[in-house]
């Protein structure tokens, strides 16, 4: 290892971890522990206790935290002036006090990008499940009711994600057109999708050249930025893949859903707040649209069995497992640790959050 | 319309249909009914009654039937010498007496190809559902148990169909490598699949040139025909897509499943007879493999809630809906009607079954 002042044996850095991240990730820290690091670890299965963080933070160089750990000024004060970095194993950062971190010059690490493929996979899965009545038909089997159904030409029929001889056009509509949306779009190409439309944040600049290149690369007839009404009207599958927060609250509301095709599906794998749950339940009940696939629901995880969306058989709901694969979670944990170590040892962080806007 | 002796008003052809195939398909027959056709239709929701067929078959030029209609010598005798064609709205033909039809010179129509995309779609859906614990996690939400789960780094974690930074290789294994398998393979490409292996009927010739071309076209490192043991050992996802019958009975048995990777998934969207249900249930219970997605089960539809596979949470089971989309079923019905009309009016049938082997 290259010699480096801050890695000398005289300076042992305290790292506080709010969770055991499994052998693959922890190994990265254990390797250096003897010489350079003091690890303080919450090793229980339940979420880390706030009092435990307050008690163990003093003198820490790094806090490695999860999305469930609310970090605030009191914790930063408890940590004291040695704190160089807060590194979260998440792409979201609603649990971090960004302004305060910027003010104190504490670096922030997060884990974007590594979850792109895991989320794109589940987005495709939910689009298929919504179109093919997967929840409804799987329940029929699980409840032992399959024997009650006789084959018939249109029994259990759903809507086909793929094009077919009599239905040669498919339009994918993306609310938000970042990395996950584009990874989803690339997966839709062999299903025969012909067109892509998307909406972006009103403040972002149009990118017609990029769009034309993307269409050519993917063999699509068009990639176009449109307004929300056009997106609702023209899409065969609508994918909600924009950030949460006030600016996107209830973007998919009754007005939007009424404009959608009766044969179209809605998929949300970003944040529950973007979709008005009551409006969507009504749209499914009254068959304004064909079906929905949700990995996120407003108010999660407080979703009971009598939630209006849970009651709709045409709504397949997953408990926010978009990034929940071993591959991706190990990569997220690895990146969180690498961010912390880089900040401590004064090297470039692989995924530093840009705090410029908070200063 | 071109004049044609057999379309003259003097000769009205009787067509017996064992089911109303919906307005789109029936329109093709109704248009010609007044002048050339006499339609006799079973118009009830339940499967057609055998006695009804026997009673209505006499004098028929064509029988248009479903997979649920068992056609035998007695029915052919009842129809009599005018019968020119039996046209089934299915790709399967287990319900037709092929030798007898060949002997009598009666043509057979069926509906291959048109269901390729619908089945490939559901094959991808089931591979994703098997890897991502879809049945188990969806049930947690539907039963109102989501609030009981706290976020944790590896909660609900499944296996990722896509490649990832730390896991850059994926092998798709196909038992049977016909049209649906190849349509499935093309859909796997943007998920990052790197290799394809397959088994074929022992009597079929090797096609190394075709395989090399396919690998090049799809950007795969390899497309290789292998033996069943290698297929089990090397595949990250095994797709069962071969015909049913004696030759393929229990091809996926305990020995096969024990050779599979612990992280791999098994998907069957062809015929239930290819997979030993008890062996698969044991493999899932004892975690020899990660999960399974089945559209077909041996003994279907007689599958009760206490069937060993229904009891396994890692087994997502659908009630044979592979081709169940409106698009595909209308195209199947259309093709069945076109086959019948072509045979009657002495034109080339769009999808005639080759009876050579039965003569």
């Amino acid at each position: 290892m290259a010699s480096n002042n801050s890695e000398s044996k005289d300076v042992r850095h305290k790292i506080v971890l709010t969770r055991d991240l499994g052998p693959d990730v922890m190994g990265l820290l254990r390797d250096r522990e003897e010489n350079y690091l003091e690890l303080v670890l919450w090793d229980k299965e339940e979420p880390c206790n706030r009092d435990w963080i307050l008690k163990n933070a003093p003198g820490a160089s790094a806090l490695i935290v999860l999305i469930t750990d609310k970090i605030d000024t009191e914790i930063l004060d408890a940590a004291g002036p040695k704190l160089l970095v807060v590194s979260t194993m998440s792409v979201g950062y609603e649990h971090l006090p960004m302004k305060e971190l910027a003010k104190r010059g504490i670096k922030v690490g997060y884990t974007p990008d590594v979850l792109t493929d895991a989320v794109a996979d589940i987005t495709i899965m939910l689009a298929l499940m919504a179109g093919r009545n997967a929840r409804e038909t799987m329940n029929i089997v699980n409840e032992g009711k399959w024997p009650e159904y006789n084959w018939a030409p249109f029994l259990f029929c759903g809507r086909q994600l793929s094009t077919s001889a009599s239905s040669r056009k498919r339009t994918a509509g993306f609310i938000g057109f970042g990395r996950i949306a584009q990874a989803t779009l690339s997966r839709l190409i062999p299903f025969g999708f012909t067109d892509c439309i998307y909406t972006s944040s009103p403040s972002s600049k149009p990118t017609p050249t990029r769009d034309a290149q993307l269409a050519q690369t993917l063999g699509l007839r068009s990639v176009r930025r449109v307004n929300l009404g056009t997106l609702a009207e023209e899409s065969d599958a609508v994918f909600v893949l924009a950030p949460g927060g006030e600016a996107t609250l209830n973007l998919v509301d009754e007005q939007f859903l009424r404009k959608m095709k009766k044969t179209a599906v809605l998929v949300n794998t970003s944040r529950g707040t973007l979709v008005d749950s009551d409006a969507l339940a009504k749209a499914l009940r009254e068959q304004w649209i064909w079906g929905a696939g949700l990995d996120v629901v407003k108010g999660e995880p407080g979703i009971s069995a009598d939630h209006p969306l849970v009651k709709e058989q045409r709504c397949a709901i997953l408990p926010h497992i978009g990034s929940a694969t071993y591959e991706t979670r190990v990569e997220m944990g690895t990146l969180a640790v690498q961010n912390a170590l880089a900040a401590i040892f004064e090297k470039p962080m692989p995924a530093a959050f840009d705090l410029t806007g908070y200063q």
Side-chain angles (χ1 to χ4, degrees), chain A:
Chain A
M1 189 174 287
S3 79
N4 180 314
N5 279 341
S6 56
E7 286 205 23
S8 80
K9 288 194 185 186
D10 305 332
V11 188
R12 279 168 57 101
H13 288 280
K14 179 173 173 179
I15 297 188
V16 176
L17 260 105
T18 62
R19 199 68 163 244
D20 187 326
L21 300 180
D24 292 335
V25 179
M26 296 307 290
L28 302 172
L29 293 166
R30 301 272 186 227
D31 286 349
R32 289 171 129 171
E33 189 175 11
E34 197 179 336
N35 294 328
Y36 312 110
L37 301 179
E38 178 195 353
L39 280 191
V40 181
L41 174 67
W42 172 266
D43 60 2
K44 299 196 175 61
E45 273 301 303
E46 66 263 35
C48 183
N49 189 305
R50 178 179 167 80
D51 290 340
W52 182 91
I53 302 181
L54 283 168
K55 186 180 152 200
N56 288 283
S61 299
L63 304 180
I64 301 178
V65 303
L66 308 182
I67 194 132
T68 40
D69 303 312
K70 176 79 188 158
I71 305 301
D72 56 18
T73 310
E74 190 185 1
I75 289 175
L76 300 184
D77 285 343
K82 283 191 178 170
L83 188 64
L84 297 168
V85 59
V86 175
S87 176
T88 182
M89 180 185 156
S90 63
V91 65
Y93 46 84
E94 303 94 340
H95 55 308
L96 304 183
M98 291 306 201
K99 277 191 184 169
E100 195 60 32
L101 289 160
K103 201 175 90 182
R104 297 178 187 218
I106 296 168
K107 290 174 177 164
V108 173
Y110 71 139
T111 61
D113 305 349
V114 288
L115 46 65
T116 299
D117 288 307
V119 181
D121 282 8
I122 219 146
T123 304
I124 296 294
M125 181 179 102
L126 284 169
L128 286 161
M129 289 175 70
R132 300 299 288 273
N133 318 327
R135 175 178 168 187
E136 194 174 352
T137 55
M138 201 156 63
N139 277 346
I140 284 168
V141 177
N142 294 346
E143 293 170 3
K145 292 180 181 164
W146 192 357
E148 296 169 25
Y149 290 84
N150 288 308
W151 196 91
F154 297 100
L155 179 68
F156 301 140
C157 270
R159 291 293 161 182
Q160 191 162 314
L161 191 64
S162 286
T163 48
S164 75
S166 62
S167 177
R168 296 177 179 278
K169 194 174 171 302
R170 287 289 184 281
T171 298
F174 294 94
I175 297 180
F177 199 53
R179 290 184 200 89
I180 298 171
Q182 291 176 45
T184 300
L185 177 61
S186 77
R187 284 164 175 72
L188 290 171
I189 300 303
F191 289 85
F193 271 67
T194 49
D195 297 87
C196 168
I197 50 182
Y198 68 92
T199 64
S200 286
S201 153
S203 62
S204 71
K205 284 184 190 156
T207 54
T209 309
R210 191 274 316 258
D211 293 352
Q213 281 169 349
L214 190 58
Q216 194 176 14
T217 305
L218 295 175
L220 290 166
R221 300 193 319 181
S222 70
V223 173
R224 287 178 298 133
R225 181 169 166 175
V226 297
N227 64 39
L228 203 59
T230 302
L231 189 109
E233 283 162 12
E234 295 188 6
S235 300
D236 295 297
V238 170
F239 300 96
V240 184
L241 283 166
E246 276 299 319
T248 57
L249 185 68
N250 291 339
L251 221 48
V252 175
D253 58 6
E254 183 164 331
Q255 191 187 7
F256 181 96
L257 291 160
R258 281 192 186 278
K259 284 182 185 157
M260 281 179 67
K261 297 182 185 178
K262 272 180 182 264
T263 53
V265 295
L266 178 82
V267 177
N268 186 6
T269 47
S270 53
R271 288 288 179 264
T273 51
L274 283 100
V275 175
D276 179 335
S277 294
D278 290 326
L280 177 56
K282 191 173 169 189
L284 291 166
R285 198 165 53 244
E286 298 181 0
Q287 298 174 35
W288 310 347
I289 69 173
W290 184 263
L294 309 176
D295 188 42
V296 291
V297 181
K298 198 185 295 178
E300 68 182 55
I303 306 299
S304 64
D306 63 356
H307 185 283
L309 286 171
V310 176
K311 288 197 282 189
E312 291 304 320
Q313 283 293 314
R314 284 287 174 81
C315 194
I317 313 178
L318 300 169
H320 205 151
I321 61 170
S323 68
T325 68
Y326 286 96
E327 292 87 340
T328 290
R329 290 285 169 86
V330 166
E331 285 165 28
M332 289 170 73
T334 300
L335 189 52
V337 166
Q338 287 170 337
N339 277 331
L341 292 176
I344 288 175
F345 297 122
E346 294 167 13
K347 290 173 181 163
M349 289 166 66
F353 188 90
D354 181 3
L355 288 167
T356 316
Y358 293 93
Q359 274 157 345

